[in-house]
Amino acid sequence: MNRPIKLISICLLIIPFAAAQSDPADNPARKPLTIESIFAPGGITGRPPETIQWTPDFTKFSFIQRDDSGEHGQLLSVDAVTGQKTLLVSEGKLATLAPSVERIKDEREVERITRYHVDPYYWAPDSKHLLFVPQGQLWLYSLETGTAVQLSASPDASGDPKFSPDSTRLAYVRKHNLYLRTLTDDTEKQLTRDKEETDKHPNLLSGEVDWVYAEELGVRSNYFWSPDGKNIAFLHMDETHVPTYPITNWMPTHPTLDMEKYPQAGDPNPVVRLGVASTSGGDAKWISLTEDRDTYLPRFGWVNDGVLWAEVLNRAQDNIDLYFVDIHSGHSRKVLTEATPDAWVNVNDDMRILKSGDRFLWSSWRDGTTQLYLYSFDKTNPLAAEAKLERQITKGDFEMLGVEAVDEDAGVVYFTCNKDDPRQRQIYAVKLDGSGFKQVSEDDGTHHATFADDGKHFVDEFSDLMTPPRTSLCSSSGSCKTVWNSRGVDDYGLTEPEFLEFKADDGTTLYGQLLLPPESAQASKIPLIVNIYGGPAAQLVTDSWIENWTGSSGLFHQVLARQGFAIFTVDNRGTPARDRKFMTAVRHQFGAIELKDQLTALDQLFVKYPELDRTRVGIWGWSNGASMTLYAMTHSNMFKAGAAVAPVTNWRDYDSIYTERNNGMPKDKNTTSYVDMDLPAVADKLQGSLLIAHGTGDDNVHFQNSIQMVEALIKAGKQFHFMVYPNKTHSIRGADDRDHLFHLIEEHFERELK
């Protein structure tokens, strides 16, 4: 049965204050909720299944289940029909073949694996073998014999392995080049031959993904086998002119330095080109798509054995062209153009060539919301003409958030969308002819689906605001069997936040959330802490345990609430999962609109909740939320205290792809973001007590940002607090460091707002 979401319009709220949230007496705490328990390994709910994958024959899915520490785990499978669990790889063998990331000492490597979901194992197409890559070494594991054989004893690490369609060969990236191993005779062949003077800081990458493509374009692999196994298409990246950023490890007696290739806004980007390597050997064939070298090639793949498809995105990211390429002649044709001159193109994985060989799926923002479209082309001669739009498959006032699977036998597409409530994620189905639009997932909340390629079954990772995650095996009809459930949290006596609605000054609906302290912790006037993100990369107000409670937000806010604070969050214009007008409202003008929406919502909140003390308001955020914390404290007098973790303090310091997508080039005349969000320039305008925290190993939002802000605050004569986390990356992971950080934030607000 669906659980109704509490939706309270701030303009129509008539419920008395004391009844607005659940009575703590109905849900008493029997276990202490502490910062230490929140960030302990496994947290309060336990460690969920990891690395969920379907077998190529679609008969079962597999996953790694570890204990809270992450040290002990097994690889299990679940039968798609019966739901029966089977042990595939025992704990002892898995500890060798797929060791826990907790054993990795390099924080940046852990961040790469966890942030970009690097898989520790891969299924062979025969569904009888598994490939493991411990410490970059290749091991082939037979399910029939239960034994593993090392495929290569090279001291150099191999990565991103892919089996040939017939399972007889294996491709992988080593030393920034593509290699091929024939499994039947255990021979190795090098397919590309870029030579570097240094391996540690390469300029040339063949088939390998660099940092900025992985982070900002969601690229997870840069090479693909042809269907017949005779060729491999790959992206070649030349980073010779990409500037480097120094990341220093200060801990050894003699500090070490790593020079990261990182294009900042306006800098030279990697120069990319598409190549095709024959698996029989020989020089690669190079594909010419456009004379403009300052472009992105974010997605490519195979139409059939002899034809490639490739997307070319311009640097302004407001135009994307789809090309078909004949690999034999090298001839290419532009078959589709998507232009969004007043917005940007959302690069995604929705482009799907259907098995019929004459149609593909394409998503677009063209009608104001992201929807799905069906195109056709000449199967016998794909380059003969432009692709033909057959129909718009989905339509409505919602965002189609991603194609999950296509069941071509049934003519059905499965996708995620937020119809009826942008705070939710539901799985929907629609037929290729546009009929049969229906919701597949059942419970209100957030569903993340991992479908088998045939579209018949999926794994559903579900949670809602007060329901911790559970993992289920589901049929495409929606019937599900629970595979894993979180530990219960009733003993912690959590308080349910209230969903709220506000109006921006232009009438736009803004979604918010308020957590009030238990009555026993309430004072006559309640201090308020605003948690903010504010930018295009994150939505904070969601009907989801995962987004609300894990990481750095909800459970920590419960601790603050028990100290007598109220915590408020609102997603201003510019945040994701809304229509094009909403999301692009802040394009080229970061700062002012976000803050205006935050202050407008606060004004409405104080009217309806007079118990909140508007003289004691704090604000905190991470990353873009930290930037907005600094902006709010230098552009308003609302906030008495703030905490900024890993802030971007000047958009000229951040990477080219993300920054230019939202703010244009620094030299552009139609953008105000580079001036308005130059936060060191307004350090003298700081009001309130400020805490800044940053990791010195942050390869995303560089430590440089906080150093520049610190210098400006000193010159402005402003007192503030500054905490450095040695070698920690953007997430400042690890129980010790997270405990320290969140106690620091807690103590800051206790001191300044009480």
Side-chain angles (χ1 to χ4, degrees), residues 64 100 110 124 288 302 474 521 741:
I64 293 176
S100 170
V110 174
S288 177
W302 292 91
C474 303
L741 172 62

Side-chain angles (χ1 to χ4, degrees), residues 130-309:
L130 290 162
L131 184 74
F132 292 90
V133 197
Q135 288 84 47
Q137 299 303 304
L138 303 171
W139 289 80
L140 187 64
Y141 183 86
S142 169
L143 293 174
E144 293 180 352
T145 65
T147 58
V149 177
Q150 187 171 7
L151 298 181
S152 172
S154 170
D156 299 308
S158 300
D160 193 17
K162 289 190 179 75
F163 286 96
S164 63
D166 63 1
S167 296
T168 63
R169 291 164 296 166
L170 184 70
Y172 41 90
V173 177
R174 182 194 297 152
K175 296 188 73 171
H176 321 296
N177 280 285
L178 279 171
Y179 285 76
L180 181 66
R181 178 169 292 274
T182 302
L183 301 178
T184 52
D185 59 9
D186 197 31
T187 58
E188 184 180 77
K189 180 189 302 180
Q190 186 173 346
L191 296 182
T192 63
R193 297 187 177 275
D194 288 330
K195 293 183 179 180
E196 294 282 356
E197 294 182 4
T198 171
D199 177 57
K200 190 171 178 60
H201 308 295
N203 289 320
L204 305 177
L205 308 175
S206 286
E208 186 176 345
V209 185
D210 78 336
W211 185 91
V212 75
Y213 264 54
E215 176 67 19
E216 304 301 2
L217 294 175
V219 177
R220 297 295 175 258
S221 185
N222 261 341
Y223 78 92
F224 303 98
W225 284 90
S226 63
D228 61 5
K230 294 181 179 180
N231 294 284
I232 292 177
F234 67 96
L235 192 69
H236 182 269
M237 310 187 81
D238 183 346
E239 300 199 309
T240 301
H241 299 292
V242 176
T244 55
Y245 177 85
I247 298 179
T248 303
N249 179 359
W250 301 100
M251 297 307 294
T253 301
H254 301 287
T256 59
L257 185 68
D258 184 28
M259 301 299 290
E260 176 191 38
K261 287 288 185 177
Y262 187 103
Q264 293 171 308
D267 284 346
N269 273 326
V271 177
V272 296
R273 57 177 175 166
L274 197 60
V276 178
S278 170
T279 56
S280 61
D283 294 336
K285 296 179 180 179
W286 298 107
I287 307 299
S288 177
L289 298 174
T290 173
E291 293 182 0
D292 185 358
R293 289 166 56 88
D294 198 9
T295 57
Y296 303 105
L297 231 165
R299 298 290 187 274
F300 62 97
W302 292 91
V303 176
N304 56 43
D305 291 334
V307 178
L308 285 169
W309 63 268

Side-chain angles (χ1 to χ4, degrees), residues 685-705:
K685 303 294 193 299
L686 177 70
Q687 300 186 59
S689 179
L690 173 64
L691 165 67
I692 302 175
H694 214 132
T696 65
D698 194 335
D699 60 356
N700 186 342
V701 178
H702 292 148
F703 190 55
Q704 165 191 34
N705 285 271

Side-chain angles (χ1 to χ4, degrees), residues 72-90:
H72 306 284
Q74 299 174 325
L75 182 64
L76 305 169
S77 70
V78 177
D79 187 274
V81 177
T82 66
Q84 181 179 353
K85 281 186 185 179
T86 301
L87 177 66
L88 294 180
V89 181
S90 66

Side-chain angles (χ1 to χ4, degrees), residues 416-431:
T416 301
C417 79
N418 58 8
K419 184 178 181 295
D420 300 327
D421 192 335
R423 289 160 290 196
Q424 295 194 13
R425 301 290 183 274
Q426 298 290 345
I427 310 302
Y428 272 75
V430 67
K431 292 184 178 180

